[in-house]
């Protein structure tokens, strides 16, 4: 379409050149000028040329793709929406709101904070933003019962740690998770659990070391270390850990506090 119009414009331009040559290029020789046959008057040619030029310009404008302005979604807006959805799901009465706690932490390596939501001592959620979309890292993880003291993280390293005790503290299981932003998944750092077991004795003399012996004072300070069922040394055990200054993943701010901070 555009090529057709351009050819049309070129044709009109050639007519203009012929007219110019006929009228000025032959001096005062009126006979030669009269021999040039011109079907259109100069005024008509100018109008036709102007019309073609306008058509070319309009066609060019139509063919230039209009780039729509893409508004970048702020993590602030996404978090505010997530908070509102959270309180609607859990309960948004004044009594319910007083139980919830929120926070902004730097869990992964970028400069966008992650959102913590939950009920302290019961459960916790953790969210981040990737490519303009909110992504769940931790979804309603329970703690505060059964020896589970909660979850900790290494700032800007994407590491989550949990210590869960059993048998009245005689066994302590440790778990590490690593955040994979590309897969958008929090994965176990190891295939097996890490466990520290305190040695305890058969206090009641029934031939079995069990929970009763622990309660009666059979627990000692001697510790055995395990990777799954494999008994390993303390030095080997340390190689499975991620050292650093851990911080708890639990909210400190009320609903009003977090909304005020995001505003």
């Amino acid at each position: 379409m555009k090529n057709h119009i351009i050819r049309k414009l070129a044709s009109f331009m050639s007519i203009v050149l012929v007219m110019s040559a006929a009228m000025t290029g032959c001096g005062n020789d009126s006979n030669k000028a009269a021999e040039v046959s011109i079907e259109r008057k100069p005024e008509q040619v100018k109008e036709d040329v102007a019309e073609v030029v306008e058509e070319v310009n309009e066609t060019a404008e139509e063919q230039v793709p209009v780039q729509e302005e893409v508004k970048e979604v702020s993590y602030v807006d996404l978090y505010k929406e997530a908070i509102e959805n959270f309180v609607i799901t859990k309960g948004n009465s004044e009594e319910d709101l007083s139980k919830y706690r929120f926070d902004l932490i730097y869990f992964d390596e970028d400069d966008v904070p992650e959102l913590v939501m939950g009920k302290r001592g019961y459960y916790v959620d953790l969210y981040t933003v990737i490519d303009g979309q909110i992504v769940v890292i931790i979804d309603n993880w329970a703690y505060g019962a059964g020896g589970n003291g909660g979850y900790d993280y290494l700032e800007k390293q994407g590491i989550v740690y949990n210590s869960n005790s059993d048998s009245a503290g005689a066994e302590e299981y440790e778990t590490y998770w690593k955040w994979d932003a590309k897969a958008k998944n929090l994965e176990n750092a190891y295939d097996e659990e890490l466990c520290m077991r305190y040695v305890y004795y058969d206090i009641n003399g029934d031939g079995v070391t069990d929970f009763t012996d622990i309660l009666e004072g059979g627990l000692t300070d001697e510790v055995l270390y395990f990777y799954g069922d494999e008994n390993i040394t303390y030095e080997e055990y340390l190689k499975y850990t991620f050292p650093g200054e851990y911080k708890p993943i639990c909210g400190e701010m009320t609903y009003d506090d977090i909304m005020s901070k995001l505003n």
Side-chain angles (χ1 to χ4, degrees):
M1 177 66 179
K2 184 175 179 181
N3 291 336
H4 169 72
I5 296 173
I6 292 175
R7 287 195 298 271
K8 186 176 180 182
L9 176 60
S11 176
F12 279 118
M13 292 304 295
S14 65
I15 293 173
V16 174
L17 292 175
V18 169
M19 289 177 59
S20 176
M23 299 178 65
T24 62
C26 298
N28 296 323
D29 191 344
S30 57
N31 292 331
K32 290 184 179 180
E35 292 175 0
V36 178
S37 176
I38 303 174
E39 297 178 359
R40 297 179 179 84
K41 295 179 180 180
E43 293 78 7
Q44 182 63 46
V45 172
K46 289 181 180 179
E47 291 177 3
D48 290 342
V49 171
E51 181 181 340
V52 173
V53 170
E54 182 179 357
E55 190 175 350
V56 170
N57 290 335
E58 290 177 354
T59 303
E61 290 177 359
E62 292 175 359
Q63 293 183 352
V64 174
V66 179
Q67 294 185 355
E68 297 182 0
E69 182 180 353
V70 179
K71 184 178 180 182
E72 183 177 350
V73 181
S74 169
Y75 76 85
V76 171
D77 296 328
L78 292 172
Y79 285 167
K80 287 166 68 174
E81 182 180 357
I83 292 169
E84 294 296 352
N85 291 336
F86 176 85
V87 298
I88 289 173
T89 302
K90 301 296 184 180
N92 56 2
S93 68
E94 185 174 345
E95 180 181 357
D96 291 328
L97 286 178
S98 66
K99 301 174 183 177
Y100 308 140
R101 288 296 180 268
F102 309 86
D103 215 335
L104 295 173
I105 65 174
Y106 289 95
F107 172 70
D108 58 19
E109 60 185 10
D110 63 30
D111 293 326
V112 176
E114 279 63 51
L115 173 65
V116 179
M117 299 190 292
K119 185 177 179 181
R120 297 195 67 172
Y122 291 88
Y123 56 83
V124 67
D125 293 349
L126 183 62
Y127 295 86
T128 191
V129 173
I130 298 177
D131 297 331
Q133 294 184 330
I134 198 160
V135 176
V136 180
I137 299 177
I138 292 176
D139 184 16
N140 200 41
W141 282 14
Y143 70 99
N148 186 346
Y151 307 93
D152 302 308
Y153 73 102
L154 283 177
E155 191 170 69
K156 289 213 167 193
Q157 296 187 47
I159 299 294
V160 176
Y161 166 79
N162 171 254
S163 175
N164 191 359
S165 63
D166 199 2
S167 300
E171 297 179 345
E172 185 172 348
Y173 295 90
E174 295 187 305
T175 307
Y176 294 90
W177 294 269
K178 296 177 67 175
W179 172 242
D180 186 340
K182 184 175 294 186
K184 300 178 183 179
N185 189 37
L186 195 60
E187 300 176 342
N188 283 87
Y190 305 112
D191 296 330
E192 303 288 345
E193 278 188 310
L194 292 169
C195 179
M196 296 184 292
R197 290 189 183 135
Y198 289 87
V199 176
Y200 51 95
Y201 300 115
D202 180 14
I203 297 297
N204 57 20
D206 62 359
V208 180
T209 52
D210 54 20
F211 187 68
T212 303
D213 295 314
I214 297 173
L215 294 179
E216 292 183 3
L219 195 64
T220 70
D221 293 332
E222 185 181 354
V223 183
L224 301 177
Y225 300 92
F226 293 85
Y227 176 72
D229 294 330
E230 180 186 0
N231 187 194
I232 59 177
T233 66
Y234 174 66
E235 289 73 22
E236 290 172 328
Y237 189 88
L238 288 179
K239 292 179 181 179
Y240 288 104
T241 65
F242 293 85
E245 184 178 348
Y246 283 84
K247 299 179 181 180
I249 304 176
C250 62
E252 298 289 343
M253 291 185 278
T254 65
Y255 170 82
D256 291 335
D257 292 336
I258 188 68
M259 295 303 283
S260 176
K261 188 175 183 65
L262 291 172
N263 285 330

